[in-house]
Amino acid sequence: MPLVEPIPNLSETGPDAVERILAAAKDLFAESGFNAVSMNAIAEHAGVSKANVFHHFKSKNALYLEVLKTACSESGSQIDQLGSGSGTLVERLRDFSQSHLANILRDEKISRLIQRDLLENGPQRGKEFAEQVFGQNFARLVEILRTGQKKDELRKGIDPAMLATLLIGADVFFFQSREVLRHFPDVSFTDTPESYSAMLVDILLRGILPQP
Amino acid sequence: MPLVEPIPNLSETGPDAVERILAAAKDLFAESGFNAVSMNAIAEHAGVSKANVFHHFKSKNALYLEVLKTACSESGSQIDQLGSGSGTLVERLRDFSQSHLANILRDEKISRLIQRDLLENGPQRGKEFAEQVFGQNFARLVEILRTGQKKDELRKGIDPAMLATLLIGADVFFFQSREVLRHFPDVSFTDTPESYSAMLVDILLRGILPQP
DNA sequence: CGCAATATTGACCGACCGGTCAGTCAGTGC
DNA sequence: GCACTGACTGACCGGTCGGTCAATATTGCG
């Protein structure tokens, strides 16, 4: 029972079958993970026969890798423009935090897909992601922070890589824990990522101690 | 091909079959997730027949839920003693951050199991975890922070729930991203969670801006 | 001891899995 | 007309899945 019909395809020009398969696979893999999705389900979702899926992709794993590759390139290009803005380091940090979280939330499917893949494929995949997907952006962020530190916009004792980890980690944790946090009565920010981001940067900048 | 033999069982007194099944299931579920683990694999790992597993647990799902229940109660009791220490808020924060991260890392299997379950069972499970597993501890941490805030040990503008989220999130992110972070040349703390924790608290306390 | 309850087993089931295959069909160049 | 090609399909394969069942081994109790 296909939950989504393959676009009625009124006469002829619909999305290419390959694209429909990739889109269906992306949705289903992100939703339920590699093992829980059958090639039959993908085929039905895409409105083609299972055999046709195998005609275009030599195996389930090959299809999965193709989906992952696409997702990663999208994910990478989204973050590209970050950190290139001008202004003080403080302004740039605010911008980065806001747009980074927005990017994660924008295509939830991609985020889930990558999260799932990292969880299921262990250290080896972790290395691949570090080197091929996130490495550049992380290094750039660290470099920006280091430069700011030299210009005395950042405290000397701070490890730039630690700060970068914290900035990214806070957003990632927000993304994947929203559905838990939402049910804590003390928590008020799950529906407004902007306010989460603002509070995060505020804490990072000024610290949590009372100021004389 | 069982990767781990069921304990030679020299004559008779080994762990009860039910316990062996639970232990095997916990290991395998944590390692590969619900769908990727077969009842046959669990049975072999536990050194019993598959039918015997079904004799003690009415279904795969019931076994899984039992494993999850056990894992959650262990996870809960571990965190129990936190925050009950004495001393200034700063000292207690340092203690909390250190031991919280240590707890997460101690039984990696449980952490992975819960992480996997939250990812695969969506918002509904998120609510259950929030209410039945993490709710109390989170509320207690928030309460400690709020009290400290009233005694002026914490800046007024800080949202205690936000700070609690940040404390916990930083540790969780560290746990699940170690294998990625490890491969960033700028990162130096992946093998020393204590130094990560120390840097985290330092940043939170003093902020990242230069101090006059 | 006998005997019932429980623990454990191998054989088995239908459903579904990823993947294959022979073949249909529309389009294209000659 | 004909040969060829790539997209596409339904039927099918061996294998594994979660789950069942009748039969056997083990235990505990009168």
Side-chain angles (χ1 to χ4, degrees):
Chain A
M1 56 177 84
L3 297 176
V4 171
E5 281 301 333
I7 298 167
N9 207 0
L10 297 173
S11 53
E12 43 187 38
T13 53
D16 183 63
V18 173
E19 287 177 29
R20 291 207 313 273
I21 294 171
L22 281 172
K26 173 178 147 184
D27 286 3
L28 294 173
F29 282 142
E31 188 61 33
S32 313
F34 183 83
N35 285 296
V37 174
S38 72
M39 293 299 265
N40 241 316
I42 294 172
E44 286 178 10
H45 226 78
V48 299
S49 69
K50 186 176 70 164
N52 193 20
V53 178
F54 280 98
H55 173 69
H56 291 289
F57 302 91
K58 74 173 181 186
S59 71
K60 185 184 184 183
N61 204 57
L63 170 58
Y64 175 73
L65 289 179
E66 199 63 31
V67 168
L68 202 63
K69 211 176 89 183
T70 313
C72 287
S73 71
E74 290 181 36
S75 162
S77 65
Q78 278 179 8
I79 313 184
D80 262 355
Q81 77 275 11
L82 297 182
S84 58
S86 58
T88 67
L89 185 66
V90 170
E91 287 166 357
R92 291 166 81 178
L93 275 187
R94 265 188 236 280
D95 285 351
F96 174 83
S97 184
Q98 290 276 355
S99 50
H100 179 243
L101 184 50
N103 277 334
I104 290 177
L105 294 168
R106 173 163 44 210
D107 200 339
E108 197 170 340
K109 285 170 191 164
I110 292 181
S111 303
R112 286 175 68 94
L113 199 60
I114 294 176
Q115 191 189 342
R116 247 182 225 289
D117 187 75
L118 280 170
L119 190 57
E120 297 190 358
N121 294 92
Q124 176 223 352
R125 197 59 132 263
K127 185 177 179 185
E128 294 172 19
F129 268 95
E131 291 170 351
Q132 299 165 25
V133 185
F134 301 124
Q136 281 190 35
N137 291 315
F138 187 84
R140 191 180 326 165
L141 177 57
V142 171
E143 194 46 42
I144 291 173
L145 295 175
R146 218 193 304 273
T147 305
Q149 197 171 29
K150 281 183 189 146
K151 291 195 283 181
D152 250 346
E153 295 178 300
L154 202 62
R155 220 177 76 214
K156 293 300 181 193
I158 302 281
D159 176 356
M162 175 70 199
L163 179 53
T165 303
L166 212 47
L167 281 166
I168 293 167
D171 288 348
V172 171
F173 181 73
F174 177 86
F175 165 73
Q176 67 188 19
S177 303
R178 269 175 306 164
E179 296 303 334
V180 177
L181 295 172
R182 187 190 305 285
H183 299 283
F184 292 157
D186 298 310
V187 172
S188 61
F189 45 75
T190 42
D191 289 316
T192 54
E194 317 81 32
S195 76
Y196 175 83
S197 211
M199 286 195 284
L200 166 66
V201 176
D202 176 67
I203 288 183
L204 291 181
L205 289 178
R206 305 166 57 199
I208 62 174
L209 295 181
Q211 288 167 329
Chain B
M1 56 177 85
L3 296 176
V4 170
E5 282 301 333
I7 297 166
N9 208 0
L10 296 172
S11 53
E12 44 186 37
T13 53
D16 183 61
V18 174
E19 288 177 29
R20 291 207 314 274
I21 294 171
L22 281 171
K26 171 179 148 185
D27 285 3
L28 294 173
F29 282 142
E31 187 61 34
S32 314
F34 183 83
N35 285 296
V37 174
S38 72
M39 293 300 264
N40 241 317
I42 295 172
E44 285 179 10
H45 226 80
V48 300
S49 68
K50 185 177 71 165
N52 194 20
V53 177
F54 279 98
H55 172 69
H56 292 289
F57 302 91
K58 74 173 181 186
S59 70
K60 185 184 184 183
N61 204 58
L63 170 58
Y64 175 72
L65 289 179
E66 199 64 30
V67 168
L68 202 62
K69 210 176 89 182
T70 314
C72 286
S73 71
E74 291 181 36
S75 162
S77 64
Q78 278 179 8
I79 313 185
D80 261 355
Q81 76 275 11
L82 298 182
S84 58
S86 57
T88 67
L89 185 66
V90 170
E91 287 165 356
R92 290 167 80 177
L93 276 187
R94 265 188 237 280
D95 285 352
F96 174 83
S97 184
Q98 290 276 355
S99 51
H100 179 243
L101 183 51
N103 278 334
I104 291 177
L105 293 169
R106 171 161 48 209
D107 201 339
E108 195 171 342
K109 284 169 191 165
I110 292 181
S111 303
R112 285 175 67 94
L113 199 59
I114 294 175
Q115 190 189 342
R116 247 180 225 289
D117 187 76
L118 281 170
L119 190 57
E120 296 190 359
N121 294 91
Q124 176 224 351
R125 196 60 132 262
K127 184 177 180 184
E128 295 172 19
F129 269 95
E131 291 170 353
Q132 300 165 23
V133 185
F134 301 124
Q136 281 189 37
N137 291 315
F138 187 85
R140 190 181 325 164
L141 177 57
V142 170
E143 194 47 43
I144 292 173
L145 295 175
R146 219 193 303 273
T147 306
Q149 198 171 29
K150 282 184 188 145
K151 291 195 283 181
D152 249 347
E153 294 178 300
L154 202 61
R155 220 177 75 213
K156 293 299 181 190
I158 302 280
D159 176 357
M162 175 69 201
L163 179 53
T165 303
L166 212 46
L167 281 166
I168 293 167
D171 288 349
V172 171
F173 181 74
F174 178 86
F175 165 72
Q176 66 189 21
S177 303
R178 269 176 305 166
E179 296 302 334
V180 177
L181 294 172
R182 188 190 304 286
H183 300 284
F184 293 156
D186 298 309
V187 172
S188 61
F189 45 75
T190 42
D191 289 315
T192 54
E194 317 81 32
S195 75
Y196 176 83
S197 212
M199 287 196 282
L200 167 67
V201 176
D202 176 66
I203 287 183
L204 290 180
L205 289 178
R206 305 166 58 199
I208 62 174
L209 295 181
Q211 288 168 329

